Amino acid sequence: MRHTLPVLTAIVLATPALAQDPADRDSSTISRCAGKVGRDMRQSDPAFGIIMIDGRPWTRVERTEETSGAHIIATTATGTGARHRRDGTSVTFRFTCGLDAGGQALMFHARQLRPGPGDALAPATTVAGSAGFPQETALPRGAELRVQLLDIGESPAGTVLTEQVVRSGWRVPIPFALHLPRVIPLEGRRLAVTARLVVKRQTLFQLAVPHVIAGEELHKPIGLLLEQVQAPKG
């Protein structure tokens, strides 16, 4: 039996939407929206497991001037994600997230996707896997996994093709599923995955170097081992 999300409303996006704002601000926005829904889920659902929020190119971030009760919504993010419960059930959804002028996420509304041509996501190639740690580690409250699929063919820093923020209430290794729209050609690209575990904007664990994806790996689960980041001395 599938379980619906607690709040049901969203803006429907028929195809991936390229964000119009600077990329770093968009990533921060998605992170704060993931934090909002993660906190809400912990309080309302004892079986809370994993929340995955898709970033670029599936999410659109826009400046707005709307109100939510006594609050002013200065930024609105709309996009897609997935929720997995501890009992094994899962749902995919479209969401709307509203933030105030200071970047605090005030509301997160989601609507479960239904089978059918009018509500289907655009075709995509999925790069799935999980991120673990060198030793058994209990996830601190508020921890999130940030994963990106890069094209490093032209520069070591790479260009972000797609990304995801994952909040896990219990599971280690932390699973992820990066979705790359099939309209983005793969020919001539050199793909790599990078990942880090963040708590309150501080990176605790990260992948030492991007994991380069060989051709045969593209459709197989990828296992990433994150290394602990040493705190700066001083």
Side-chain angles (χ1 to χ4, degrees):
M1 177 180 179
R2 282 191 164 188
H3 296 260
T4 57
L5 294 167
V7 186
L8 304 178
T9 183
I11 295 176
V12 175
L13 304 176
T15 58
L18 291 174
Q20 298 175 346
D21 296 296
D24 55 348
R25 197 194 75 183
D26 289 356
S27 296
S28 176
T29 297
I30 298 308
S31 173
R32 294 177 183 185
C33 291
K36 170 64 175 172
V37 68
R39 290 189 297 272
D40 291 349
M41 287 293 179
R42 284 181 183 274
Q43 295 174 1
S44 64
D45 185 358
F48 164 74
I50 298 165
I51 292 289
M52 298 176 172
I53 303 296
D54 300 321
R56 291 168 283 178
W58 302 95
T59 293
R60 181 185 298 276
V61 178
E62 299 176 302
R63 291 291 189 183
T64 55
E65 293 184 3
E66 302 176 357
T67 58
S68 176
H71 301 285
I72 297 177
I73 302 297
T75 302
T76 299
T78 55
T80 59
R83 171 190 174 194
H84 304 270
R85 304 177 87 244
R86 297 191 189 196
D87 61 7
T89 58
S90 63
V91 295
T92 54
F93 57 81
R94 300 186 190 274
F95 72 84
T96 300
C97 177
L99 302 90
D100 64 15
Q104 180 181 356
L106 301 177
M107 65 88 172
F108 187 99
H109 292 172
R111 179 180 63 79
Q112 180 179 338
L113 290 175
R114 301 291 183 181
D119 208 19
L121 295 175
T125 297
T126 299
V127 179
S130 61
F133 311 97
Q135 63 276 350
E136 187 173 341
T137 303
L139 291 178
R141 184 175 292 273
E144 64 181 33
L145 179 69
R146 301 181 186 179
V147 192
Q148 294 181 325
L149 179 66
L150 309 176
D151 177 7
I152 59 172
E154 296 185 359
S155 71
T159 300
V160 178
L161 299 178
T162 186
E163 62 185 344
Q164 188 174 74
V165 172
V166 183
R167 287 259 176 161
S168 176
W170 58 282
R171 186 172 175 179
V172 178
I174 304 173
F176 61 85
L178 295 163
H179 307 295
L180 182 66
R182 291 183 184 172
V183 296
I184 298 179
L186 295 179
E187 185 177 356
R189 298 185 186 273
R190 188 167 181 242
L191 302 180
V193 173
T194 185
R196 58 193 178 113
L197 186 76
V198 179
V199 178
K200 296 180 179 179
R201 305 183 189 180
Q202 180 181 357
T203 300
L204 301 184
F205 293 85
Q206 67 181 10
L207 202 59
V209 295
H211 176 88
V212 177
I213 301 176
E216 63 274 10
E217 274 191 299
L218 187 59
H219 302 288
K220 297 180 180 179
I222 298 172
L224 304 178
L225 185 63
L226 307 190
E227 298 181 3
Q228 188 169 8
V229 175
Q230 299 298 323
K233 297 180 180 180

